[in-house]
């Protein structure tokens, strides 16, 4: 038999009415009617408790409901009808309040689900057709008007619009999107009109994956929760045994039953999970996906941050600043050949060259033959030519000579802060592409805040040249930087730091960073500009590509674990005080249950403060008491 929440609410109300009626009968000196009313209230309120206790016994588990059931049967046996009725009513009413407050902690996920688009306007056979979003196919042309939700991940092929991307990035300020820009499912067209080609649909969209990740994360457990699960399996039977011992010693059944009830570890069991849920929900609301409670726990202990450069510390929107040719190809001809080779690239620099070529109106196809050399560049066949595009390491591997004039030019560009890409055709260097990127505006503030909150070392690992790496490191005041690193070099460096006892977080956005992200204690990926591989590998994803989100996530992890500890200490302290009160005769069955339920609500309310946690307003050194509002309304 299954008791729904609606049924529980009816039973709680009915039990409450019966108790009130019983006390009225008592005032009228109708003692028999009073007892009948109290027994009726006990039976009504006990139904969901007994069912849950029975289900737990069938699963060979010892639940709080089992303890309460034993206590209620004992109270009825010794004629304590008032206490049996009050205990069951308080337990049921407490469960109702817990459900209400727990619903609040999951509000971020609920809000996300409600933002999911339901319909799409699709152009089929030259006509506009409204279809359920799950029936949209890849490659179809979608129309989104002002006020409409974007139903797919795709690329704008017509129109321009101001789009609110808060559901994906956490940023409420609208972003202007125009031709060739990407749009994401779940975002809202604030004003304008766009036509989009669907590239990801259904469960493959960014928004669908966000919901899935948050759901999984909220169900995952921290080390504290796992310990408490094991602890409760030992604690509950131990309480039953202690209650029997109390009865054997005192011969007082009422005292033994009271001991049994007040020893229920309700606040202890719920304190850690509710903090975890609230913390992960807060992250989702601010565009930060933390993939689970254990990750939150580890993240709070990180003392060393490692960053990739391009797309992580820098904006990830580099531009070609100069193209220098050295041989038989004209500038435009070399750009077209190299861009066509780079069509297979996942790297920002390769995409930058492709973007430059497209801005010139060149029509390009993916090369028939091509190979990505991680961390170095690419090899490809374009128009019958063997093309090699990449850094010095790749040119050396290909045994292609860099003559003095070319080397002198390359070094000069690097000293100006450019990344130099060598382009060789048929075994000879034909040109150099200079590409520059800008440091993120929020990087200095974000790194300073993370230092303030406990980070001891901030290090940059990049495949870029020494001069550019030094320039960025000096701008940001980094502790160390290491240039011209291959993906395997980054992995080895992460391993060395871990062996030295550091808890390491690696942040990156490219496919080259995925191995290091996976090796670190905490891997972090830049979501909006990052690759799918790095996002899947990472433990934490920043959906808005802002380093201040990283700072928020780090502060939030510390606040969440601190909140979890507060709840655990409070719950343990409450149980000990209650048990002491029972043994000295100052705590009774009904009052003990009232205090027990109150403690459960207090730990939930304490966890709910995390919903409003904002690192901009609260530092880790300040107590969480400074976080405002405990009520149901945000």
């Amino acid at each position: 038999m299954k008791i729904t929440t609606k049924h529980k609410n009816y039973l709680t109300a009915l039990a409450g009415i019966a108790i009130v009626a019983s006390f009225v009968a008592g005032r009228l000196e109708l003692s028999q009617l009073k007892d009948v009313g109290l027994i009726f209230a006990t039976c009504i309120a006990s139904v969901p408790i007994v069912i849950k206790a029975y289900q737990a016994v069938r699963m060979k588990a010892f639940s709080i409901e089992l303890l309460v059931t034993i206590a209620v049967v004992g109270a009825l046996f010794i004629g304590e009808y008032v206490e049996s009725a009050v205990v069951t009513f308080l337990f049921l009413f407490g469960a109702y309040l817990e459900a209400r407050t727990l619903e609040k902690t999951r509000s971020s996920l609920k809000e996300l689900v409600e933002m999911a688009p339901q319909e799409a306007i699709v152009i089929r056979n030259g006509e506009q057709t409204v279809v359920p979003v799950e029936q949209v196919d890849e490659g179809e042309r979608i129309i989104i008007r002002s006020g409409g939700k974007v139903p797919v991940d795709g690329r704008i092929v017509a129109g321009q619009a101001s789009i609110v991307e808060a559901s994906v990035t956490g940023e409420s300020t609208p972003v202007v999107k125009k031709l060739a820009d990407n749009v994401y499912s779940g975002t809202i067209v604030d004003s304008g009109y766009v036509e989009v080609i669907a590239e990801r649909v259904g469960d493959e969209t960014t928004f669908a994956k966000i919901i899935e990740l948050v759901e999984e994360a909220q169900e995952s457990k921290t080390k504290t929760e796992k310990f408490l699960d094991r602890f409760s399996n030992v604690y509950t039977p131990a309480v039953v045994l202690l209650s029997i011992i109390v009865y054997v010693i005192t011969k007082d059944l009422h005292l033994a039953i009271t001991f049994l009830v007040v020893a229920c570890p309700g606040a202890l069991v719920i304190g850690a999970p509710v903090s975890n849920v609230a913390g992960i929900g807060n992250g989702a609301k601010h565009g930060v996906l933390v993939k689970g409670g254990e990750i939150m726990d580890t993240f709070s202990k990180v003392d060393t941050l490692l960053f990739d450069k391009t797309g992580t510390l820098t904006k990830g929107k580099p531009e070609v600043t100069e193209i220098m040719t050295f041989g038989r190809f004209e500038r435009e001809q070399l750009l077209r050949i190299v861009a066509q080779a780079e069509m297979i690239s996942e790297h920002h620099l390769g995409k930058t060259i492709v973007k430059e070529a497209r801005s010139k109106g060149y029509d390009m196809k993916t090369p028939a033959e091509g190979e990505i050399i991680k961390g170095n560049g690419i090899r490809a066949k374009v128009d019958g030519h063997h093309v090699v595009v990449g850094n010095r390491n790749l040119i050396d591997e290909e045994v292609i000579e860099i003559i003095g004039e070319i080397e002198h030019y390359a070094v000069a560009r690097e000293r100006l802060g450019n990344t130099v890409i060598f382009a060789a055709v048929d075994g000879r260097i034909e040109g150099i592409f200079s590409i520059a990127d800008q440091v993120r505006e929020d990087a200095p503030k974000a790194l300073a805040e993370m230092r303030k909150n406990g980070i001891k070392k901030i290090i940059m690992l990049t495949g870029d040249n020494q001069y550019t790496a030094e320039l960025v490191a000096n701008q940001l005041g980094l502790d160390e930087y290491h240039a011209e690193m291959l993906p395997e070099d980054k992995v080895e460096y992460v391993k060395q730091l871990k062996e030295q006892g550091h808890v390491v977080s690696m942040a990156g956005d490219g496919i080259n960073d995925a191995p290091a992200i996976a090796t670190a204690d905490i891997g972090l990926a830049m979501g909006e500009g990052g690759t799918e591989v790095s996002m899947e590998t990472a433990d934490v994803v920043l959906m808005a590509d802002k380093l201040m989100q990283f700072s928020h996530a780090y502060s939030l992890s510390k606040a969440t674990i601190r909140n979890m500890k507060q709840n655990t200490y409070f719950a343990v302290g409450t149980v000990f005080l209650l048990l002491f009160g029972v043994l000295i005769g100052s705590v009774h069955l009904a009052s003990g249950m009232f205090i027990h339920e109150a403690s459960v609500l207090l730990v939930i309310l304490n966890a709910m403060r995390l919903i409003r946690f904002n690192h901009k307003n609260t530092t880790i050194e300040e107590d969480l008491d400074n976080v405002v509002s405990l009520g149901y309304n945000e």
Side-chain angles (χ1 to χ4, degrees), residues 432-444:
I432 284 180
F433 288 71
S434 297
I435 299 176
D437 197 2
Q438 298 296 314
V439 170
R440 293 181 183 273
E441 290 94 343
D442 64 341

Side-chain angles (χ1 to χ4, degrees), residues 167-387:
S167 59
V168 173
T169 66
E171 292 294 312
S172 57
T173 305
V175 179
V176 175
K177 297 277 185 170
K178 50 189 185 299
L179 191 66
D181 284 343
N182 292 322
V183 294
Y184 303 101
S185 172
T187 57
I188 300 171
V189 175
D190 185 51
S191 62
Y193 169 94
V194 288
E195 293 182 15
V196 173
I197 293 296
E199 295 180 342
R200 289 181 185 171
V201 298
D203 293 339
E204 295 303 311
T205 65
T206 301
F207 187 68
K209 288 183 177 180
I210 288 173
I211 293 176
E212 182 185 352
L213 287 172
V214 175
E215 284 177 336
E216 290 176 357
Q218 291 193 339
E219 294 301 322
S220 69
K221 295 184 177 182
T222 62
K223 291 178 183 177
T224 303
E225 290 176 81
K226 291 175 181 175
F227 168 76
L228 289 175
D229 284 346
R230 296 192 300 270
F231 173 75
S232 62
N233 285 331
V234 176
Y235 179 83
T236 305
V239 166
V240 175
L241 181 61
L242 284 172
S243 299
I244 294 171
I245 293 172
V246 169
Y247 174 70
V248 170
I249 294 173
T250 63
K251 305 300 181 184
D252 187 340
L253 184 57
H254 185 277
L255 179 65
I257 292 171
T258 305
F259 185 94
L260 188 71
V261 170
V262 301
C264 293
L268 187 61
V269 170
I270 203 170
V274 75
S275 296
N276 181 35
V277 167
I280 290 171
N282 177 291
K285 190 174 180 180
H286 287 85
V288 179
L289 301 184
V290 182
K291 298 182 183 177
E294 193 162 348
I295 289 165
M296 188 77 81
D297 190 12
T298 305
F299 195 16
S300 70
K301 299 170 185 172
V302 167
D303 59 20
T304 303
L305 297 183
L306 304 179
F307 287 95
D308 173 48
K309 181 182 75 67
T310 306
T312 307
L313 290 174
T314 62
K315 293 179 181 178
K317 296 179 180 178
E319 295 181 353
V320 175
T321 57
E322 188 170 280
I323 301 174
M324 176 65 75
T325 59
F326 300 105
R328 40 202 176 120
F329 294 99
E330 295 293 328
R331 183 180 181 278
E332 289 74 16
Q333 188 183 9
L334 183 65
L335 172 60
R336 189 187 62 78
I337 291 172
V338 171
Q340 194 158 319
E342 289 283 9
M343 289 288 288
I344 64 173
S345 178
E346 283 285 342
H347 198 277
H348 279 295
L349 300 180
K351 290 179 179 179
T352 300
I353 294 173
V354 172
K355 181 181 175 183
E356 177 71 12
R358 280 182 171 155
S359 71
K360 305 294 185 185
Y362 298 152
D363 185 25
M364 295 170 296
K365 302 178 293 184
T366 302
E369 295 179 30
E371 178 187 3
I372 298 173
I373 298 90
K374 285 186 181 179
N376 283 331
I378 59 167
R379 301 186 189 100
K381 280 272 187 173
V382 178
D383 297 341
H385 296 290
H386 178 67
V387 181

Side-chain angles (χ1 to χ4, degrees), residues 228 231 235 262-273 563-579 595-596 598-604 606:
L228 289 175
F231 173 75
Y235 179 83
V262 301
C264 293
L268 187 61
V269 170
I270 203 170
N563 189 283
M564 201 175 289
K565 289 178 180 177
Q566 288 173 346
N567 281 350
T568 303
Y569 297 150
F570 173 75
V572 170
T574 301
V575 169
F576 276 119
L577 288 174
L578 280 174
L579 292 179
I595 295 170
H596 169 269
S599 69
V600 170
L601 289 174
L602 283 172
V603 298
I604 293 174
N606 184 47

Side-chain angles (χ1 to χ4, degrees), residues 40-61:
F40 176 74
T42 302
C43 293
I44 289 295
S46 293
V47 171
I49 300 171
V50 172
I51 289 174
K52 205 162 182 182
Y54 172 69
Q55 291 171 341
V57 170
R58 286 189 61 189
M59 299 295 293
K60 297 180 181 179

